[in-house]
Amino acid sequence: MKMTRQQAIIGLLSASDWLTTDALAAALTVSKETIRRDLKQLQQQGKIVRQHGRARAIHPGRPDSGEPFGARLKSHYADKADIARHALDWVSEGMTLALDASSTCFHLARQLPDIALTVFTNSLPICQEMARRERIRLICSGGALDRKYRCYVNPTLVTLLKPLEIDLFIFSCEGVDAGGVMWDPTAHNAGFKAQLLGRADQSLLLIDKSKFNRSSEVKIGHLSQVTRLITDAQLSRR
């Protein structure tokens, strides 16, 4: 019965964008607690994404399915700010950092001291934050602005990166599944992270506890490629 119900949940989610727990419980005439248990299992299987009392089905290759930057910035605000604070221990004067367009990296950017650093990023909010620092050298990836994610999309990123030696790449992601694969909802952000992950001398993945056992549409890489995982679930080496 549970398998049949979960198949029905996938069917309902596939026919919609997002559905709330209440809507699914009403449609299947079961309790909200039953739906929550089903959704948790489906998320762990990499079949759905859950956010704030709602869920959607995962469709590989489906574009533009993530939350806007503004919504992500408000989600787990204090946890992300604390995770970013721990990442500061890895930053020292003279380094070249690469930061992705995640809300957690924006929290980090706001906490960065005004010291001699080079910061490379595809994030509009981080560019705006770094512009306030006098000693930090800012390099923006440029390209077309994706307003939803507030990041730049540049198809010539490989050429742009050639002269740069990245000491530390700091990033986040939509989720990490049970097998250690990192996921993002869009190809351009996943591609940016994959390229920087391959080029940087070291890397930090900043991820709050809500992101574990979650997947999305596009693979970034595997946790084995990351130097250190910083999370509010366990602030230590994995």
Side-chain angles (χ1 to χ4, degrees):
M1 183 176 178
K2 181 175 71 173
M3 185 176 296
T4 301
R5 187 176 61 247
Q6 291 183 356
Q7 288 175 345
I9 290 172
I10 292 295
L12 289 168
L13 294 177
S14 296
S16 305
D17 187 11
W18 290 91
L19 286 176
T20 64
T21 303
D22 290 346
L24 288 167
L28 298 174
T29 61
V30 295
S31 70
K32 288 186 286 185
E33 285 304 316
T34 296
I35 291 296
R36 290 190 185 101
R37 286 194 296 270
D38 285 338
L39 292 177
K40 182 178 180 179
Q41 291 180 7
L42 290 169
Q43 177 175 273
Q44 291 173 345
Q45 295 167 18
K47 295 179 179 178
I48 68 164
V49 170
R50 298 165 68 200
Q51 290 173 349
H52 317 304
R54 60 179 189 162
R56 66 170 174 82
I58 289 177
H59 303 288
R62 172 183 174 179
D64 205 29
S65 58
E67 282 196 306
F69 177 82
R72 288 185 285 116
L73 189 60
K74 296 175 184 176
S75 175
H76 300 274
Y77 188 97
D79 294 333
K80 292 176 180 178
D82 191 52
I83 290 167
R85 180 175 58 82
H86 282 82
L88 290 174
D89 293 339
W90 285 70
V91 177
S92 57
E93 194 161 0
M95 294 181 73
T96 296
L97 308 179
L99 305 179
D100 77 344
S102 64
S103 57
T104 309
C105 274
F106 177 66
H107 283 290
L108 172 66
R110 296 181 70 177
Q111 298 178 54
L112 277 178
D114 192 7
I115 59 176
L117 293 170
T118 296
V119 173
F120 173 77
T121 186
N122 65 334
S123 164
L124 174 60
I126 292 177
C127 285
Q128 293 170 331
E129 187 67 30
M130 292 299 96
R132 300 186 178 99
R133 309 295 205 279
E134 292 185 358
R135 300 185 64 196
I136 292 179
R137 176 184 178 225
L138 171 65
I139 303 176
C140 178
S141 70
L145 177 64
D146 182 327
R147 286 181 170 82
K148 178 177 179 180
Y149 297 103
R150 301 194 69 186
C151 69
Y152 293 102
V153 182
N154 190 343
T156 64
L157 183 63
V158 174
T159 303
L160 185 63
L161 286 173
K162 280 183 179 179
L164 288 178
E165 294 185 5
I166 308 295
D167 297 306
L168 182 64
F169 174 43
I170 308 177
F171 70 110
S172 189
C173 62
E174 178 78 6
V176 176
D177 68 22
V181 176
M182 300 175 290
W183 296 83
D184 244 22
T186 64
H188 58 75
N189 270 324
F192 178 89
K193 296 173 190 186
Q195 288 189 53
L196 268 297
L197 194 57
R199 288 188 57 88
D201 291 339
Q202 292 185 304
S203 56
L204 300 180
L205 174 62
L206 313 184
I207 183 171
D208 69 79
K209 57 182 175 290
S210 71
K211 302 290 186 67
F212 289 101
N213 293 313
R214 285 174 54 173
S215 56
S216 192
E217 276 73 20
V218 188
K219 292 181 182 180
I220 299 168
H222 193 271
L223 278 181
S224 60
Q225 299 171 263
V226 177
T227 306
R228 182 64 64 93
L229 173 67
I230 300 181
T231 173
D232 54 343
Q234 183 181 0
L235 288 166
S236 65
R237 182 160 181 93
R238 60 182 189 277

